Amino acid sequence: MAEGIYRGPLEQVNDCCWRIPKSYKQGMRVDGLIFASEAMVEEIKHDQACEQVANVAFLPGIQHASLAMPDIHWGYGFPIGGVCATDPDEGGVISPGGVGYDINCGVRLMRTDLFYTDVKPQLPRLMDQLFAKIPAGTGRGGKYRYNAKELRKLMSDGVSYLRDRELATDGDVEHTEARGCLRDAVPEYVSQRALERGLDQCGTLGSGNHFLEVQVVEAIFDEQAAAVMGLEKDMICVMVHSGSRGLGYQVCDDALKTLHYLGAMCAAANFAWCNRQLLMWQARETFEAVFGRSWQQLRMNLVYDVAHNIAKFERHAIGGRDRQVWVHRKGATRAFPADHPETPAAYKQIGQPVIIPGDMGRASWVLVGRNGSMEQTFGTCCHGAGRKMSRTAAVKHAQGRRIDQELAARGVIARARSWRGLAEEQPAAYKDVNVVVDVVHRANLAAKVARMRPIGVVKG
């Protein structure tokens, strides 16, 4: 993380929001607004993320405010947790820095009909099998290989490409944000180098903060919404966190040199949705092998899939009228309410599911979008816990320790490719996701539905 304490203005708006006034720097077009609790503010000031919020406010065509979620921390360009909307009718731009290198990094949650008592005796074997089945790690390829022509078709069609090849279902498509496809994709804008990096990486986890977790529903906060999603206390779920792998990183690199970012970004986003779909498909196959029943019999259905590194052209009410704007979400999650036209039919009565992963040792959350998100944040809330320790600092903090054994003491079986990978992602490296989620709940951006506790994790 960038060192240095933020010493600029940060004015309290209410219990959950703080303002950097546009008078702070000459050239700021709008204020900066950071959603956080009072207790979180001092920690937020300990890197340069607040300065980045102010810098985003310089963007041409920016609307309302430069926003940041409570999981904010320093990133490249925008802060992680940064959100803004730009109006192309006012010279608004699409910023690669507002999407990030891992285009359409996101998370999906799958429920099952298994409960903790069913899985506990088989958990070590299940995690061994998932670790063997799920390709994970930097540069790691997998069993799904596509030539350049096939890959371009996949990037054009998104998850429906896999459905046509019996690697996804209609339900999987319906329960994926944007139905797993951005229609502005132009795969021809994706470079040969990016294609080469993606040929065998669809269906792989990667490294860093990406994971596949087996989780148990620990607590229900909204019985109605949980029932609509098929979630019950003590039920086993599977959460997948991954993105567009080397292909997406290359698209971002290439964007620094070309003017074809939008079409290539959308293509990489579609690749990422296919990546998570194939990861889920392999998890289904593994559960079938371990429990001796088909995934359909186990009712391993997708609850939802959300993107959290993306720019999308959306309609929002701004200044008393509807506008089409480019909403940048970098480390931030869409949180549309019940009455929004893009909320899937199955969730029209409760709101779009919002999936917020935490760290390996504490919890992850399911929420639903609320009208407050449309009024305050262009339909957006946080995307995770947010780092409070750089990867270098986390490795130093882990010297002489066995993170896998510490996790085991918490009841979590961890399988990873390296000691360093676990050290970088240890629970102490992250903010408490429960505190972060509490902010977006109190701010009426999204409402708590269920908290899940990790019991098994696969890391790169």
Side-chain angles (χ1 to χ4, degrees), residues 19 90 95 123 152 206 230 239 260 270 281 297 314 376 398:
R19 177 188 293 111
E90 296 182 4
S95 169
L123 188 59
R152 289 192 179 96
M239 186 175 285
H260 297 310
N270 294 345
W281 200 264
Q297 290 172 324
E314 297 175 353
Q376 302 175 78

Side-chain angles (χ1 to χ4, degrees), residues 76-92:
Y76 294 102
F78 281 43
I80 310 299
V83 180
C84 86
T86 58
D87 187 341
D89 290 339
E90 296 182 4

Side-chain angles (χ1 to χ4, degrees), residues 134-215:
I134 305 295
T138 303
R140 187 87 183 273
K143 71 176 184 178
Y144 299 104
R145 300 183 63 91
Y146 300 99
N147 62 36
K149 181 179 179 181
E150 292 168 332
L151 203 53
R152 289 192 179 96
K153 181 66 171 170
L154 178 149
M155 289 189 290
S156 174
D157 295 353
V159 178
S160 64
Y161 176 91
L162 299 178
R163 179 190 58 196
D164 295 344
R165 285 149 185 80
E166 299 185 342
L167 292 168
T169 67
D170 287 341
D172 295 338
V173 173
E174 182 66 28
H175 290 87
T176 300
E177 181 176 326
R179 296 178 61 86
C181 183
L182 296 185
R183 296 298 176 186
D184 289 324
V186 185
E188 290 74 21
Y189 289 167
V190 175
S191 70
Q192 183 62 34
R193 175 60 182 144
L195 288 173
E196 290 169 356
R197 295 184 68 177
L199 293 177
D200 65 348
Q201 288 197 336
C202 206
T204 66
L205 264 184
S207 59
N209 62 349
H210 297 150
F211 63 78
L212 182 146
E213 280 189 2
V214 178
Q215 303 172 341

Side-chain angles (χ1 to χ4, degrees), residues 116-445:
Y116 183 57
T117 53
D118 303 320
V119 171
K120 185 178 180 181
Q122 298 286 350
L123 188 59
R125 178 178 171 227
L126 175 63
M127 297 315 301
D128 286 343
Q129 291 295 312
L130 285 168
F131 188 58
K133 181 86 170 179
I134 305 295
T138 303
R140 187 87 183 273
K143 71 176 184 178
Y144 299 104
R145 300 183 63 91
Y146 300 99
N147 62 36
K149 181 179 179 181
E150 292 168 332
L151 203 53
R152 289 192 179 96
K153 181 66 171 170
L154 178 149
M155 289 189 290
S156 174
D157 295 353
V159 178
S160 64
Y161 176 91
L162 299 178
R163 179 190 58 196
D164 295 344
R165 285 149 185 80
E166 299 185 342
L167 292 168
T169 67
D170 287 341
D172 295 338
V173 173
E174 182 66 28
H175 290 87
T176 300
E177 181 176 326
R179 296 178 61 86
C181 183
L182 296 185
R183 296 298 176 186
D184 289 324
V186 185
E188 290 74 21
Y189 289 167
V190 175
S191 70
Q192 183 62 34
R193 175 60 182 144
L195 288 173
E196 290 169 356
R197 295 184 68 177
L199 293 177
D200 65 348
Q201 288 197 336
C202 206
T204 66
L205 264 184
S207 59
N209 62 349
H210 297 150
F211 63 78
L212 182 146
E213 280 189 2
V214 178
Q215 303 172 341
V216 59
V217 178
E218 186 175 52
I220 300 289
F221 295 83
D222 183 330
E223 294 285 352
Q224 178 196 3
V228 171
M229 296 182 203
L231 301 177
E232 300 177 39
K233 191 176 185 305
D234 297 325
M235 177 179 281
I236 295 298
C237 295
V238 178
M239 186 175 285
V240 174
H241 178 205
S242 194
S244 48
R245 303 287 278 116
L247 182 145
Y249 277 78
Q250 191 64 46
V251 165
C252 192
D253 264 344
D254 294 339
L256 303 177
K257 313 179 190 72
T258 71
L259 298 177
H260 297 310
Y261 178 69
L262 174 60
M265 183 273 290
C266 292
N270 294 345
F271 178 95
W273 273 312
C274 290
N275 183 31
R276 292 195 291 277
Q277 175 65 34
L278 291 177
L279 283 163
M280 184 180 74
W281 200 264
Q282 291 171 95
R284 285 170 169 169
E285 292 172 342
T286 304
F287 270 74
E288 287 179 334
V290 172
F291 294 102
R293 295 158 60 193
S294 71
W295 71 261
Q296 292 91 342
Q297 290 172 324
L298 292 169
R299 294 190 63 204
M300 298 184 71
N301 299 325
L302 178 61
V303 175
Y304 204 57
D305 177 296
V306 288
H308 57 229
N309 274 9
I310 204 162
K312 295 172 73 180
F313 202 42
E314 297 175 353
R315 184 174 296 279
H316 289 273
I318 304 169
R321 63 186 179 92
D322 281 351
R323 300 193 199 181
Q324 288 281 107
V325 291
W326 285 107
V327 180
H328 298 69
R329 299 185 177 100
K330 181 180 180 180
T333 301
R334 199 180 76 172
F336 286 171
D339 57 356
H340 196 281
E342 289 192 45
T343 297
Y347 302 127
K348 285 293 185 186
Q349 301 303 310
I350 62 170
Q352 173 218 304
V354 176
I355 305 164
I356 309 298
D359 62 71
M360 295 182 289
R362 274 180 281 212
S364 292
W365 284 82
V366 176
L367 301 90
V368 285
R370 283 289 181 258
N371 285 321
S373 72
M374 303 303 294
E375 297 161 2
Q376 302 175 78
T377 61
F378 303 104
T380 308
C381 78
C382 63
H383 88 304
R387 293 194 78 92
K388 67 176 184 180
M389 192 183 295
S390 71
R391 287 187 166 84
T392 300
V395 169
K396 184 177 180 180
H397 187 259
Q399 292 299 323
R401 296 163 51 204
R402 287 285 302 273
I403 305 300
D404 58 336
Q405 292 180 1
E406 293 176 14
L407 289 169
R410 297 189 186 198
V412 182
I413 297 176
R415 298 286 184 263
R417 298 291 168 191
S418 69
W419 172 87
R420 185 182 180 90
L422 285 180
E424 289 179 348
E425 299 300 313
Q426 62 179 292
Y430 285 87
K431 301 175 188 178
D432 185 342
V433 70
N434 301 304
V435 176
V436 170
V437 165
D438 189 59
V439 172
V440 298
H441 177 84
R442 290 190 293 116
N444 197 34
L445 305 182

